[in-house]
Each structure stands twice: as structure tokens, then as C-alpha cells.
């Protein structure tokens, strides 16, 4: 029987030297996060993209080198990013080894329903959050999201409105369809965050960009 007290072997690369995500989020993550906005081929005309085969090779290389932290969003590449990551995790059977971050706020419905026909597929309100988490869980083929970001402030949903949405523990409204472990802010000003009922968990995390307040 292996000695349970023996130290872990040295990682193959520095990606495998995990660290605590933040002072209030004890989950262990690789020091670099793989940004998945280019995973997909729907946005070829606007920005970089890659085929599903190339995407799987990238994900395999990142995970094989020790990386476990992947960032995506509900709308990246017209939802292909989350979908392909979900397919990759299902094929590799490695969901429990990964920390998946995704985001809501941006419109993820108009590209398929038509402009003006998806007014509640964006923003920070409860309905947008509910549909986004519901669909992200399906696309990612998972029961939970490790880190859910507010992608940007919509300037119409109040701080109190954010606090009444599902808690980071997965209770309340969010318990209908799954849960997320931690909440974060993708792009915004700290002055909006401090008064929030999520103030102990909604925070800037290492490596996140701070954008100027509108």
C-alpha cells in the first residue's frame, strides 16, 4: 500500500504546481488559466478560431502539462466553446480533475433567435442568470460550475438584485438546476462590489483584469 504521507511527485511543468484560488476560495488551481474564447469556429471572421480537433489537442496539451483551470463564457463562439469543452471532458472523463469558470451577462440568444427576440438572454438579472446557468450546465455536460463570473455590469440590475440571485453555495433559485461554487467579477469596478451581499465571495481573483467604471 502506498504511503499516504509521502509527498506528491514534482510536477512535469510549473502548470502542475497548484495554488489556492483566493483568500475566500480554497479550491486549488494551476497558476495559469486557459482562456477558451478561441475554442470554436463560429467567430472566424471576427477573431481567431480553431476546429474541434485542434481545440481538443489544445485542451489535451494544457491538461497533460498539469493545467486544470479553464475559463469560458456562455456566448463564446456562439456557445461552441462551452459545448466543445463539455464534449472533451465527457470523452476524457476528467471533469473532476478540472476547475471550470464560465460567465453570464452577454447576449447568448440573438445569434440563433434573431435580434430583438432574446431580450432576457443578457444582463445580470435573475432570468438571464437562470437561463445561462441552465444552458451552461447542459453544454458543459456537468452538474456544477466551479466559478461563475458576472461578465460585466449591465447598469440596470441593482446590487441588491445580484444578492437575491442564487448564492455561491448553490441554494435558492440556483438549486433548481445545479449550482456554482464561487462567484467572481470579470470586468468591473470594485466600488460596485463592496456593498454587495456577495461581498465575501464576489471579488477580483488573481489574474483578472480590472476595467474602469462606466
Amino acid at each position: 500500500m502506498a504511503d499516504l504521507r509521502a509527498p506528491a511527485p514534482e510536477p512535469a511543468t510549473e502548470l502542475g504546481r497548484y495554488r489556492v484560488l483566493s483568500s475566500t476560495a480554497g479550491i486549488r488551481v494551476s497558476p495559469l488559466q486557459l482562456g477558451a474564447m478561441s475554442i470554436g469556429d463560429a467567430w472566424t471572421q471576427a477573431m481567431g478560431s480553431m476546429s474541434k480537433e485542434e481545440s481538443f489537442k489544445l485542451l489535451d496539451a494544457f491538461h497533460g502539462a498539469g493545467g486544470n483551470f479553464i475559463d469560458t463564457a456562455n456566448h463564446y463562439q456562439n456557445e461552441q466553446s462551452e459545448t466543445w469543452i463539455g464534449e472533451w471532458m465527457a470523452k476524457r472523463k476528467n471533469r473532476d480533475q478540472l476547475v471550470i469558470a464560465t460567465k453570464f451577462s452577454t447576449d447568448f440568444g440573438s445569434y440563433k433567435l434573431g435580434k430583438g427576440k432574446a431580450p432576457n438572454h443578457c444582463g445580470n438579472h435573475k432570468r438571464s442568470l437562470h437561463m445561462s446557468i441552465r444552458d451552461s450546465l447542459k453544454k458543459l455536460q456537468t452538474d456544477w460550475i466551479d466559478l461563475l463570473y458576472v461578465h460585466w455590469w449591465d447598469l440596470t440590475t441593482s446590487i441588491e438584485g445580484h444578492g437575491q440571485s442564487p448564492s455561491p453555495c448553490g441554494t435558492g433559485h440556483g438549486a433548481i438546476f445545479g449550482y456554482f461554487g464561487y462567484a467572481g467579477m470579470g470586468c468591473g469596478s470594485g466600488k460596485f462590489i463592496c456593498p454587495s451581499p456577495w461581498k465575501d465571495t464576489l471579488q477580483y481573483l488573481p489574474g483578472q483584469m480590472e476595467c474602469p467604471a462606466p
Side-chain angles (χ1 to χ4, degrees), residues 112-192:
K112 54 188 174 184
L113 299 175
K115 289 287 186 179
K117 296 182 179 180
N120 290 311
H121 282 71
C122 64
N124 302 150
H125 51 86
K126 285 185 180 181
R127 176 66 179 276
S128 170
L129 178 59
H130 178 104
M131 292 192 296
S132 184
I133 296 178
R134 178 199 65 193
D135 290 2
S136 288
L137 289 169
K138 291 178 182 177
K139 288 176 284 184
L140 291 165
Q141 300 187 44
T142 187
D143 298 324
W144 78 98
I145 295 164
D146 295 291
L147 173 58
L148 180 69
Y149 286 112
V150 175
H151 209 161
W152 44 268
W153 294 108
D154 65 7
L155 303 182
T156 57
T157 304
S158 67
I159 293 294
E160 291 75 17
H162 281 285
Q164 292 167 3
S165 295
S167 78
C169 297
T171 58
H173 191 64
I176 297 172
F177 42 79
Y179 73 94
F180 56 95
Y182 301 100
M185 181 67 205
C187 183
S189 170
K191 73 177 183 179
F192 292 115

Side-chain angles (χ1 to χ4, degrees), residues 63-120:
H63 189 233
N68 74 338
F69 197 12
I70 300 174
D71 173 79
T72 183
N74 60 353
H75 70 293
Y76 284 169
Q77 298 286 344
N78 291 352
E79 303 185 88
Q80 286 180 337
S81 178
E82 286 186 325
T83 300
W84 290 6
I85 291 169
E87 291 178 8
W88 173 75
M89 291 191 297
K91 286 186 176 182
R92 303 298 188 262
K93 301 185 186 303
N94 60 6
R95 173 64 184 97
D96 289 352
Q97 296 175 285
L98 300 167
V99 177
I100 303 297
T102 192
K103 313 176 193 74
F104 85 105
S105 298
T106 303
D107 179 5
F108 68 103
S110 290
Y111 82 93
K112 54 188 174 184
L113 299 175
K115 289 287 186 179
K117 296 182 179 180
N120 290 311

